[in-house]
Structure formats: structure tokens, C-alpha cells
Amino acid sequence: LALRDPMSMERTNLLNMAKLSIKGLIESALSFGRTLDSDYPPLQQFFVVMEHCLKHGLKVKKSFLGYNKSLWGPLEMVEKLCPEAGEIAASVRDLPGLKTPLGRARAWLRLALMQKRLADYLRLLITRKDLLSDFYDNSAVMVEEEGAVIVGLLVGLNVIDANLCVKGEDLDTQVGVIDFSMYLKNDIDDYRSGERNGQIAAILDQKNYVEELNRQLNSSVHGLQGRVDNLEKSNSKLIEELAIAKNNIIKLQEENHQLRNENTIILIKAQQQLEVTQVDVDVELDTYKQSRQGLDEMYNEARRQLREECQLRQDVENELVVQVSMKQEMDLAMKLLEKDIHEKQDTLIGLRHQLDEVKAINVEMYTKMQTSDDGMKQKNDMITRLEEKTNQITATMKLLEQSDKDLLSQTRTLAMSFVKCASTDTENQYKLVKDISF
């Protein structure tokens, strides 16, 4: 017979041990019917078997202290594959009693079992062969098919409930040894183990009852202690408030007595002041009666003056209305005069243009007269006619200038009369006359 591969035999043995351990744990837990704790032997053996399975084929890594084979490396990788495992990893890192990577790995296995996610986390891990190759050899259990079988068996552990105290347990120095006697029993051992399990169950029942009773008593003691403390505080506050109230009562009684004395003194003084005030009121009443007659006469005089002022104001307002209407008429007349002046100025400009043209023609004709002797007479006649026309235009321009001067004098006369008639806007009128007299 050919010799089998030692690594293959180790994988088979670990797979069989995992089957026996998981099966025994599930059966004993179901028959036990209670939440498992850290002292339960099948559960302890399960963790030992799982530790051997995870250590199989683990690569040796160098460190400052020598060579080290640690389970914490691959288990820590689960946090990157599944964010939900980050809570377990953070809890393991925060535990103060754990100093070694092996202790952290053991704590991680216990927390994952309590969370009922151990199979899920390890399934994610074995599917990443590229990550496992950094930690395990090619013939390790976690890399071969036996690892997938073990992870499938772990799904059955979801039916059990475990309450494991990881914080107070020494996980760094525990020695993981598989107890084969638990899996190699005869009928007598089964009967004895059943009796022993029954005794253990009864003892655990009593222990749980006592712990529960102790927990309830502790909570009631804490509650009563809190109530006693509150009562003592409230009693001390009431005593202080009572002392303060007594002091306040004494002060209020003294103030009341003092206020009564002051009230008596105030009443006497008020009565004296009332008598003096009555005499003053009588004197002031006589004075008021005498002065009221003079005030009535002053009122009648003021009322007469008010009527006169109102009449004067009405007259002034009427005159102001007349002045405003006159100003509007003057403004209209000034606008008409300005329009007429502008029209005459345009006419003068046109006549001047015509005069310039005539002069140009005259100069041209005079030039032609000098160069042509034959048409001298005709040109002389034409010059005579042009001179007559020029004289007529000059006379017309003089007449227009004279009429313009007459219009300007009439405008100044009207402006001066407007200045004399109006009573307001002197500066504006002066500017208007100045503009008109340009």
C-alpha cells in the first residue's frame, strides 16, 4: 500500500474531529436546553478543535521576538471582507486583558459564535484564496475542500445560544488540548455522563437562580440606597429651608412692627398736612375766582383779534389768487412775444442771405462789365435795377429792425409793469427781464 500524504491525513483527522465536536455540541446543547456559558465542556472542546483547524498549515512569520504562527492575521482580514465584522474586531482590540494575537483570535471566535455569524465569516474567508495564500500553505485545511465542509457544518451552530464572558477570561495562556475521552464513551459512561449532566444541570439551575436572586437583590438595594440618599438630601434641604423660613418670619414680624409705627407717624403728619392744605385751597379758590374774571376779558379780546386776523388772511389769499392769474397772463404774453421775435429774426437772417447773394451777383456783373464793352449798357441797366432792389431790401431791413426795437421796448415795458404788480419771485422776474433784453 502506498503511504498517504501526511497533510492529507491531518486534514481528514481534523475534519472528523470537527464533525464529532460540532455534533456533540449541538446534541448536548439541545438536551441541555439552556444558554451555554464558558464553563460548558463540549463548548470548550469545540473551540480547541476549531483552533487546531485554523492553525493547520499556517505559515511561520518572522518577528522581532523570533518566529510566530498567529491565527489573528487571517481572522482580522474578515473585517475588510464584511463590514459587519468590524464591530467584533474593534471589541477584541479594546479588551484590556488580551496581550497576544492568539488571545485575540480566541476572543474573536467566541464573539462570532455568540453573534451566530461564525459560519458566514469563515465562508467569506475561504472563498478568497488569494488572501489565504499569504497566511496558509497550499495543503492547509482552510485552503482545501475540508475547510468548506467544516464551514458548512458550522451553520448548525446557529440553533444554540451562548453567553460567553470574554472580558474576564484568560485567553492568552490557555493550552488547547483535545479531550478524546469525550468522543470515546461506552454505555456505562453515557449513563454516568447523563447522571452527571443532570447533576450539573441542577447545580447550574440553582446557580442561575441564586445569581438572578442576587442580581434582583442588588438592584433593589441600589434602588433603596438611591431613595435613602434622595430622602437624606431632601431632608437636609427641608431643614435648611425651615431655618431660612423661621429667620424670614422673625424679620417679617420686625418689619411689620416697624411699618405699623411708621404708619402711625405718617397718619399724624398727613392729618397735619391736610389741615394746612385745606387753608391753602381756600386761599387759592378765592384767588381763582378773582383771576377768572380777568381771564374771561382776555379771552374775549383774543377772540376778536382772531376774527380780524382771519378776515385779513382771507383778503390776502384773494389778492394772491389775482396776482397768480396776472402772472399766468404775463407768462403767456411773454411766450407770444418771444415767438414773434424768433420769427422776425428768422426773416432777417433770410434777407441777409438774399443781400449776400445780390452782392455776389453784383460783383460778378461788375466783373463781366469790365471784360465786355458791348453789353455795357445792359449791364448798367441791370446794375441800376439791382441797386434799386438792394435799396428796397435795405429799407425793408431797417423797417424790420425798427419794428424789432419797438417790440423789445414793449416787452421791457410789460416786464417792468409785471415786476411792479407782483409781490413775490423778485429774483426770477429780474432774470426774466434780463433774458428778454438780450
Side-chain angles (χ1 to χ4, degrees), residues 5 7-8 10-11 56-57 136-144 146:
D5 184 17
M7 295 295 290
S8 176
E10 290 177 3
R11 290 198 302 270
H56 184 262
Y136 290 99
D137 295 328
N138 294 330
S139 59
V141 172
M142 297 300 294
V143 180
E144 296 293 338
E146 288 82 357

Side-chain angles (χ1 to χ4, degrees), residues 4-22:
R4 294 180 58 187
D5 184 17
M7 295 295 290
S8 176
M9 294 176 64
E10 290 177 3
R11 290 198 302 270
T12 305
N13 293 334
L14 289 174
L15 175 60
N16 293 328
M17 289 304 303
K19 291 180 179 179
L20 292 174
S21 176
I22 294 170

Side-chain angles (χ1 to χ4, degrees), residues 422-437:
S423 59
T424 58
D425 300 335
T426 302
E427 184 177 354
N428 294 330
Q429 292 168 0
Y430 175 74
K431 291 181 179 180
L432 180 60
V433 173
K434 187 177 180 180
D435 295 336
I436 292 172
S437 63

Side-chain angles (χ1 to χ4, degrees), residues 1-48:
L1 295 176
L3 294 176
R4 294 180 58 187
D5 184 17
M7 295 295 290
S8 176
M9 294 176 64
E10 290 177 3
R11 290 198 302 270
T12 305
N13 293 334
L14 289 174
L15 175 60
N16 293 328
M17 289 304 303
K19 291 180 179 179
L20 292 174
S21 176
I22 294 170
K23 179 180 178 182
L25 178 59
I26 294 173
E27 291 177 353
S28 61
L30 294 176
S31 62
F32 190 54
R34 294 175 184 83
T35 303
L36 306 182
D37 55 7
S38 301
D39 297 331
Y40 193 60
L43 186 59
Q44 294 177 351
Q45 286 299 307
F46 166 73
F47 286 123
V48 172

Side-chain angles (χ1 to χ4, degrees), residues 195-240:
E195 291 181 351
R196 188 164 56 253
N197 290 333
Q199 293 175 359
I200 292 172
I203 293 171
L204 290 174
D205 290 337
Q206 293 178 1
K207 177 186 175 183
N208 292 330
Y209 174 74
V210 171
E211 289 178 351
E212 183 66 24
L213 182 61
N214 188 18
R215 189 161 44 250
Q216 292 179 358
L217 289 174
N218 287 330
S219 62
S220 61
V221 166
H222 288 303
L224 292 173
Q225 186 66 32
R227 292 179 61 185
V228 168
D229 294 337
N230 292 330
L231 290 174
E232 288 179 353
K233 291 179 181 178
S234 60
N235 189 18
S236 61
K237 290 182 180 179
L238 290 174
I239 292 171
E240 294 176 358

Side-chain angles (χ1 to χ4, degrees), residues 186-199:
N186 51 22
D187 295 337
I188 298 174
D189 293 334
D190 292 338
Y191 176 73
R192 290 177 180 177
S193 63
E195 291 181 351
R196 188 164 56 253
N197 290 333
Q199 293 175 359

